[in-house]
Amino acid sequence: MAPPREPWSLLLLALFLCPCFLNVASVDIEKCEELRLGQYICDTPKISDITQEPENCTNNTAFVPCMPAPGITCKNDSGIVNTFSGREVGFYKPFPCRNVTGYSYKVAVALSLFLGWLGADRFYLGYPALGLLKFCTVGFCGIGSLIDFVFISVQIVGPADGSNYIIDYYGARLTRLTIDNDTYRKRQTDM
């Protein structure tokens, strides 16, 4: 005969094991934004024909909808756990975009190449004083026109309002890399 078990010991065992199972189940479910590559697919951003940047760009960020893969279970921002079929939007991923106000890169380069000696490029970009100076000196005798053409071509000189050029979205655009005190520098080791 088996010895009779006390009801309080079974209750104590059940209270001990239940939180452990609940804790294991809740740890495995991650936020939808933290899914790894391959566990979700994002739509491509809708590009505006006028600005050649993603639509709804605010503060240099646009958001694109992302759908978790079929069978993926994750938590949304409010903590609700969902299992996705691959067609529902699980989260919105931030996507970088640039501030543009209407200055075309192609027009600026063409003006600099053909009418730079008259200062038309500087007038177009919003630098009227430099444009007038180039006009009066015939582009600083051609040297200033050549320098401006190079600077505009490599996008060192941009619009005066601080915005970026309108460049074809899949075109040749340059991104400046900056180094400041917060930049991590990897030390080189001697061989």
Side-chain angles (χ1 to χ4, degrees):
M1 264 196 191
R5 294 194 178 209
E6 299 292 330
W8 60 270
S9 64
L10 290 176
L11 181 65
L12 186 63
L13 182 66
L15 288 176
F16 175 73
L17 290 178
C18 284
C20 295
F21 288 124
L22 292 175
N23 191 20
V24 168
S26 67
V27 168
D28 292 337
I29 299 174
E30 58 188 332
K31 290 184 178 179
C32 292
E33 292 87 11
E34 296 172 356
L35 291 174
R36 291 179 292 284
L37 259 140
Q39 292 182 324
Y40 64 91
I41 188 165
C42 295
D43 288 344
T44 56
K46 293 180 179 146
I47 306 300
S48 169
D49 291 333
I50 298 168
T51 63
Q52 290 295 309
E53 289 296 321
E55 293 178 355
N56 301 326
C57 177
T58 54
N59 296 330
N60 295 332
T61 305
F63 291 93
V64 293
C66 297
M67 285 75 64
I72 295 289
T73 303
C74 61
K75 288 189 258 183
N76 61 11
D77 288 335
S78 51
I80 299 173
V81 177
N82 291 329
T83 300
F84 293 91
S85 67
R87 291 184 219 121
E88 306 96 7
V89 174
F91 64 98
Y92 290 89
K93 186 175 182 178
F95 194 81
C97 56
R98 301 175 321 135
N99 174 30
V100 295
T101 56
Y103 294 100
S104 172
Y105 175 70
K106 292 177 183 177
V107 171
V109 169
L111 283 173
S112 182
L113 180 63
F114 298 114
L115 297 173
W117 56 278
L118 292 174
D121 52 351
R122 291 296 186 148
F123 280 115
Y124 174 72
L125 292 174
Y127 301 100
L130 285 173
L132 186 62
L133 189 61
K134 277 178 74 174
F135 177 76
C136 293
T137 60
V138 188
F140 301 110
C141 298
I143 296 171
S145 298
L146 179 65
I147 292 171
D148 270 356
F149 175 71
V150 171
F151 281 178
I152 290 173
S153 296
V154 297
Q155 302 173 21
I156 291 174
V157 172
D161 62 0
S163 64
N164 294 301
Y165 288 115
I166 294 176
I167 300 175
D168 292 337
Y169 186 72
Y170 296 107
R173 58 177 71 180
L174 299 176
T175 304
R176 287 202 185 109
L177 300 177
T178 58
I179 296 176
D180 57 11
N181 289 335
D182 296 328
T183 305
Y184 175 75
R185 295 183 187 195
K186 186 176 179 181
R187 301 248 183 236
Q188 293 183 353
T189 58
D190 295 331
M191 289 189 183

